[in-house]
Amino acid sequence: MYTKENLDEEVRKRLPVPSGYKLLISPLQAAEKTAGGVFVPGAARDVETTASIIGYVLDLGPSAYGDKDKFPDGPYCKVGDFVIFRSYSGTRFKIMDAEFRLINDDTVEAVVEDPRSYRRA
């Protein structure tokens, strides 16, 4: 997972600014090895990253969570949160080799403290 701090400077410069009610997300990157130490091939890691359900909120569009009728209790998340969303949701794109997503503000289903303890079922 990429935060703005650990991104390559060229990637950071190219990050899009989300429009409207979109959120810019860095999905959790699949591990190179399993808990048992087995190497996971690149293609399998790519599939798992694509299907990821957890990401890091990098930025919010200017209208995100602005609809008081839709979000009467306020925003679901903020920049810097780890969030759960549905597999394959959002607009996926890569900048160099780093994958990102733009998702709708109402796509966030939960905020989690430590994403390392969660796995897609």
Side-chain angles (χ1 to χ4, degrees):
M1 175 167 14
Y2 302 102
T3 64
K4 283 190 177 178
E5 293 77 31
N6 71 5
L7 281 172
D8 177 272
E9 186 176 341
E10 282 302 310
V11 173
R12 190 172 36 247
K13 286 183 198 176
R14 296 171 191 225
L15 283 175
V17 175
S19 299
Y21 53 86
K22 300 291 185 181
L23 281 65
L24 178 61
I25 302 290
S26 173
L28 194 63
Q29 305 297 305
E32 291 185 18
K33 291 184 181 180
T34 66
V38 176
F39 177 75
V40 179
R45 285 195 316 270
D46 288 347
V47 168
E48 192 58 33
T49 298
T50 299
S52 177
I53 60 165
I54 295 187
Y56 181 80
V57 180
L58 292 169
D59 202 358
L60 303 174
S63 300
Y65 302 115
D67 185 339
K68 300 301 179 201
D69 292 328
K70 192 172 186 179
F71 306 105
D73 297 325
Y76 291 174
C77 65
K78 63 186 181 314
V79 171
D81 282 345
F82 294 103
V83 295
I84 294 179
F85 48 86
R86 292 181 183 209
S87 288
Y88 307 105
S89 62
T91 302
R92 296 177 41 238
F93 62 95
K94 286 186 176 185
I95 301 173
M96 300 160 118
D97 288 330
E99 183 168 331
F100 301 94
R101 291 189 195 175
L102 288 166
I103 65 171
N104 296 341
D105 55 4
D106 62 356
T107 304
V108 172
E109 297 187 3
V111 175
V112 297
E113 186 69 30
D114 182 357
R116 295 173 294 183
S117 58
Y118 293 86
R119 286 185 179 67
R120 188 172 56 91

